[in-house]
């Protein structure tokens, strides 16, 4: 079968460099006895080729592109029952795996944030993510407090994962070459089972706090109608980008106890 044609509407940029593919797969740590790995958007299997060589885990592939699915079934016949044509954003992961698993992939740039929100929804089962995505997004996710690129996804993901920016990938190793650089990051689940606050409210507070980055938290959180004795605390003079995860937990606790 001829090679798969990259489709712009799916955000496909196929990695062509075998050395980088091997290096990405080498980032897998398989924490907490992981024996199942899900590759998102395998395309023509450049990462798959190195995944199937590993005996420590079983590999499952998911791709929304019918042409890629046909190509993969032809070239990786041993995986046929674990090659799934579906939209990762819509599939019920509980029906896919029993127990915990890792995720790996060259994420389509246009849906990478949505993929991470799905990971967060399944954070008790997704214990590791190794991925390549747009460099700016990768840097944002790995950024710490005080950084201009630190944002909503940074806080939400860092609440539950230890995140490391691993390396940068140039444009020339893709077909077609993207207009931006790419970055590889790793996320490994931390020991936090539950935050010491209402987690749904935590997500809400973080998103509202970053709603207008230049405003202080006193202004951003005004919809909660907190009493002045609370908003008079020094933390409310800060902007969202200055706060660590623990600070957002504290804010959430204040909102829970005092919002009207």
């Amino acid at each position: 079968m001829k090679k798969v044609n990259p489709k712009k509407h799916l955000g496909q940029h196929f990695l062509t460099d075998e050395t980088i593919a091997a290096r990405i797969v080498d980032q897998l740590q398989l924490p907490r006895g992981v024996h199942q790995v899900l590759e998102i958007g395998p395309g023509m299997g450049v990462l798959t080729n190195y995944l199937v060589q590993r005996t420590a885990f079983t590999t499952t592939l998911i791709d929304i592109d019918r042409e890629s699915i046909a190509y993969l079934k032809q070239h990786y016949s041993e995986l046929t029952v674990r090659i799934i044509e579906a939209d990762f954003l819509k599939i019920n992961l509980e029906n896919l795996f029993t127990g915990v698993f890792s995720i790996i992939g060259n994420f389509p740039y246009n849906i990478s944030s949505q993929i991470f929100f799905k990971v967060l929804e399944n954070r008790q089962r997704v214990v590791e993510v190794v991925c390549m995505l747009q460099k700016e997004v990768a840097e944002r996710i790995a950024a710490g407090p005080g950084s201009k690129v630190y944002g909503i996804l940074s806080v939400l993901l860092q609440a539950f994962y230890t995140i490391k920016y691993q390396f940068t990938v140039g444009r020339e190793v893709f077909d077609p070459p993207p207009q931006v650089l790419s970055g590889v990051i790793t996320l490994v689940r931390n020991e936090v089972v539950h935050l010491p606050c209402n987690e749904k409210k935590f997500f809400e507070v973080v998103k509202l706090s970053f709603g207008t980055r230049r405003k202080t938290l006193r202004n951003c959180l005004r919809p909660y109608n907190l009493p002045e004795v609370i908003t008079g605390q020094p933390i409310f003079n800060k902007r969202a980008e200055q706060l660590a995860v623990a600070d957002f937990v504290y804010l959430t606790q204040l909102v829970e106890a005092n919002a009207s």
Side-chain angles (χ1 to χ4, degrees), residues 108-124:
Y109 293 160
N110 56 345
I111 62 165
S112 59
S113 293
Q114 294 168 267
I115 290 174
F116 284 115
F117 280 114
K118 176 107 175 187
V119 166
L120 281 166
E121 291 172 7
N122 294 272
R123 58 188 175 272
Q124 306 301 5

Side-chain angles (χ1 to χ4, degrees), residues 145 150 155 197 202 205-206 209 217 221 235-236 238-254:
Y150 183 69
V155 177
C197 64
F202 173 81
V205 167
V206 171
S209 297
L217 291 164
L221 301 181
I235 193 172
F236 285 90
K238 295 184 177 182
R239 295 189 300 276
E241 66 193 47
Q242 297 174 278
L243 270 58
V245 170
D247 297 318
F248 281 107
V249 169
Y250 176 64
L251 273 181
T252 306
Q253 292 170 336
L254 290 177

